[in-house]
C-alpha cells in the first residue's frame, strides 16, 4: 500500500502488507446463488504468502529491508528457514501488556534487590497511609500548616516515584470532629457528615501538594461530590494504583458513627494493602499518656490481642478488628519527624508495630 493513499502516515512507517486476494465471477446472480457465495468465501480465505524471493526483493530496497528478512535469507543456506519463520510468527503474536506493568516490572527488581549498604529498598509494595487531621494542623492546632503538607507530599511523592502504590486516608479533626460536636441541637449523624466534608477539604489540599511534586493524584470520595472528587469505586481505585497514581480516600466510609481509622482499615482491606501506616503527632503507642507521665513506656511491637485487652489507643476497636481479620500490620509513628514515612516503607521500626503474633516481629523489626 503506497503511503500516498494515507497522507497522515510517513513513508518510514510503511511496511509490506499481506493482501487478501479474492476471485469473484461477475454474473447477475453472483450473490444470489449458494455456489457463488461459497466461491466468494473460499476466495477470501486464500491469502498471498511471503516467499523467500520476496524477502530477497525486500533486501534490495534498503528502506523496506528488515532484520527478519535478512535472518530468513541467511538461514536459507542452513536449511533452517522454515523453523525460523514459524518461531517469528509465534513471537509476533500480539500480547496486551499494560503500560503501567512495564514500569512495575522495571521497579520489581529494585524492590527485591538490596542496596549497596545491604538495606532493602522497599518493604511493602502497596500501603495505606492514614494521616490524622491534627497532624495537618501543625503547631497551630487548627486549619492546615503548609509546611506539614509539603513535607508529607514530598515523602509520598518519593515513595510513589520509587514504585510504591500509595493510598491515603486523611482525617478532619483540624477543622471539625463530629464526635466532639454532638449536642446543642446537632445530632451525631449530622456532626459526622460535617466531619466527612472536612476530610474532603484536607484531601483536596493534599492532592494539590502531591501533584505539585509531579505525581498524578486522584481523590475518591465516599460521598458523591462529582465536581471535585471521583466517586469511590473499588476496581477503579485499584486501577489508579496500578497506573502509579496516588489515591486519596475522602469522606471516610460515607457512613456516620464510623471513624476515619475504620475507613482506613476498610479501604486497606478492599485494595489489598500490605500495611497501614498511621501518621500521628506522637511517637507511637505508650502504656500511658506521655504528656501526663514522663516515664511512659513506648511499645515497639504489639499484637492485636494485646491492644484489645489493654484498651490501648492505637485505633478504635472496629479498625483493629478489621486489620486483625485481614492480617494487615499497623505501624504507628510520628509524622512531625521528617523522613519517617520513607523509613517505615523501607522497614525501619519508626514507632509501634501492631500485628499478628506470628508476623509482628518479621514485619516490623528494624532493618539491618
Amino acid at each position: 500500500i503506497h503511503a500516498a493513499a494515507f497522507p497522515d502516515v510517513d513513508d518510514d512507517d510503511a511496511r509490506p502488507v499481506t493482501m487478501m486476494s479474492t476471485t469473484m465471477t461477475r454474473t447477475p446472480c453472483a450473490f444470489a446463488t449458494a455456489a457463488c457465495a461459497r466461491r466468494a468465501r473460499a476466495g477470501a480465505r486464500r491469502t498471498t504468502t511471503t516467499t523467500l524471493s520476496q524477502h530477497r526483493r525486500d533486501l534490495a530496497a534498503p528502506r523496506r529491508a528488515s532484520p527478519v528478512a535478512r535472518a530468513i535469507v541467511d538461514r536459507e543456506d542452513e536449511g533452517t528457514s522454515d523453523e525460523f519463520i514459524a518461531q517469528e510468527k509465534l513471537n509476533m503474536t500480539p500480547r496486551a501488556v499494560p503500560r503501567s506493568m512495564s514500569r512495575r516490572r522495571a521497579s520489581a527488581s529494585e524492590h527485591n534487590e538490596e542496596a549497596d549498604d545491604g538495606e532493602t529498598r522497599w518493604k511493602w509494595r502497596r500501603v495505606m497511609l492514614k494521616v490524622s487531621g491534627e497532624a495537618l494542623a501543625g503547631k497551630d492546632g487548627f486549619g492546615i500548616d503548609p509546611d506539614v503538607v509539603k513535607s508529607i507530599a514530598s515523602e509520598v511523592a518519593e515513595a510513589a516515584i520509587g514504585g510504591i502504590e500509595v493510598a491515603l486516608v486523611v482525617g478532619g479533626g483540624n477543622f471539625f470532629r463530629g464526635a466532639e460536636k454532638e449536642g446543642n441541637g446537632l445530632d451525631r449523624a449530622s456532626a459526622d457528615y460535617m466531619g466527612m466534608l472536612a476530610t474532603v477539604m484536607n484531601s483536596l489540599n493534599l492532592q494539590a501538594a502531591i501533584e505539585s511534586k509531579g505525581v498524578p493524584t486522584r481523590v475518591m470520595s465516599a460521598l458523591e461530590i462529582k465536581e471535585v472528587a471521583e466517586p469511590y469505586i473499588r476496581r477503579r481505585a485499584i486501577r489508579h494504583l496500578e497506573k502509579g497514581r496516588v489515591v486519596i480516600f475522602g469522606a471516610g466510609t460515607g457512613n456516620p458513627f464510623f471513624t476515619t481509622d475504620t475507613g482506613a482499615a476498610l479501604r486497606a482491606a478492599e485494595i489489598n494493602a500490605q500495611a497501614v501506616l498511621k501518621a500521628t503527632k506522637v511517637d507511637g503507642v505508650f502504656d500511658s499518656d506521655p504528656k501526663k507521665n514522663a516515664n511512659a513506656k513506648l511499645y515497639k511491637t504489639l499484637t492485636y490481642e494485646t491492644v484489645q485487652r489493654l484498651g490501648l489507643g492505637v485505633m478504635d476497636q472496629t479498625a483493629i478488628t478489621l486489620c486483625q481479620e485481614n492480617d494487615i500490620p499497623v505501624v504507628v509513628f510520628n509524622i512531625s519527624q521528617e523522613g519517617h514515612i520513607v523509613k517505615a516503607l523501607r522497614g525501619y521500626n519508626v514507632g509501634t508495630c501492631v500485628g499478628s503474633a506470628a508476623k509482628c516481629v518479621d514485619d516490623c523489626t528494624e532493618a539491618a
Side-chain angles (χ1 to χ4, degrees):
I1 298 177
H2 196 272
F6 299 90
D8 295 333
V9 180
D10 296 335
D11 289 343
D12 293 338
D13 294 332
R15 295 291 184 272
V17 179
T18 301
M19 301 298 296
M20 307 292 291
S21 63
T22 61
T23 303
M24 300 180 62
T25 304
R26 294 186 178 182
T27 62
C29 61
F31 297 100
T33 63
C36 290
R38 285 195 296 271
R39 284 197 299 270
R41 287 195 296 270
R45 285 193 295 268
R46 293 197 299 271
T47 61
T48 59
T49 58
T50 304
T51 62
L52 290 173
S53 60
Q54 288 173 330
H55 283 301
R56 291 186 182 278
R57 289 197 299 270
D58 289 345
L59 290 179
R63 185 170 60 85
R64 299 177 58 191
S66 66
V68 175
R70 294 190 181 93
I72 291 176
V73 174
D74 292 342
R75 285 167 172 76
E76 181 184 6
D77 297 334
E78 302 175 5
T80 60
S81 59
D82 293 338
E83 293 81 355
F84 180 79
I85 293 174
Q87 183 62 37
E88 282 300 314
K89 289 181 179 179
L90 180 62
N91 293 339
M92 293 174 65
T93 302
R95 294 176 175 85
V97 179
R99 181 177 56 183
S100 59
M101 292 302 297
S102 60
R103 187 173 65 85
R104 296 299 174 194
R105 290 170 181 172
S107 63
S109 58
E110 181 180 344
H111 168 64
N112 295 323
E113 292 177 354
E114 291 188 357
D116 295 337
D117 56 357
E119 176 190 10
T120 303
R121 176 62 176 167
W122 302 111
K123 194 173 188 68
W124 294 293
R125 293 299 309 279
R126 180 180 294 174
V127 297
M128 169 64 69
L129 175 61
K130 167 60 171 64
V131 181
S132 65
E134 293 87 347
L136 294 179
K139 298 179 180 179
D140 297 335
F142 182 83
I144 297 176
D145 187 339
D147 294 333
V148 174
V149 174
K150 290 179 182 178
S151 176
I152 296 174
S154 298
E155 295 191 54
V156 171
E158 179 181 349
I161 293 174
I164 304 299
E165 299 174 0
V166 183
L168 285 90
V169 168
V170 60
N174 55 328
F175 288 116
F176 192 90
R177 185 179 291 276
E180 297 178 355
K181 300 297 183 180
E182 180 183 4
N184 296 326
L186 184 63
D187 61 279
R188 173 64 186 275
S190 298
D192 283 347
Y193 281 121
M194 295 173 66
M196 294 178 202
L197 297 178
T199 67
V200 175
M201 295 169 58
N202 289 332
S203 299
L204 295 176
N205 194 312
L206 277 174
Q207 179 189 31
I210 296 173
E211 287 189 335
S212 68
K213 305 296 181 181
V215 178
T217 308
R218 299 291 183 270
V219 174
M220 307 191 78
S221 173
L223 299 177
E224 187 173 355
I225 317 176
K226 59 183 179 180
E227 287 78 10
V228 297
E230 298 179 15
Y232 171 70
I233 300 174
R234 174 180 172 271
R235 289 183 178 272
R236 180 179 292 181
I238 294 175
R239 185 57 178 160
H240 283 324
L241 294 172
E242 290 174 346
K243 287 187 175 182
R245 300 165 182 161
V246 174
V247 180
I248 305 176
F249 299 108
T253 64
N255 299 291
F257 306 101
F258 290 95
T259 65
T260 51
D261 285 346
T262 301
L266 176 63
R267 297 292 184 249
E270 288 182 310
I271 65 173
N272 301 318
Q274 295 173 298
V276 174
L277 308 181
K278 183 178 179 182
T280 64
K281 298 179 67 175
V282 295
D283 293 333
V285 181
F286 293 84
D287 59 353
S288 61
D289 190 348
K291 296 181 180 180
K292 300 178 180 180
N293 182 10
N295 297 322
K297 176 185 176 182
L298 173 66
Y299 293 105
K300 289 295 184 181
T301 58
L302 288 169
T303 61
Y304 303 114
E305 294 79 6
T306 303
V307 171
Q308 294 171 338
R309 185 177 69 254
L310 299 180
L312 299 175
V314 179
M315 290 179 165
D316 59 86
Q317 294 297 321
T318 305
I320 286 294
T321 302
L322 276 172
C323 292
Q324 181 181 14
E325 290 178 350
N326 294 278
D327 201 11
I328 303 174
V330 181
V331 180
V332 184
F333 62 96
N334 191 343
I335 199 173
S336 61
Q337 298 186 22
E338 187 176 358
H340 268 194
I341 296 176
V342 174
K343 288 181 180 179
L345 290 172
R346 288 182 175 176
Y348 284 106
N349 192 337
V350 294
T352 302
C353 178
V354 181
S356 62
K359 293 182 62 179
C360 190
V361 175
D362 294 336
D363 283 348
C364 307
T365 53
E366 186 171 357

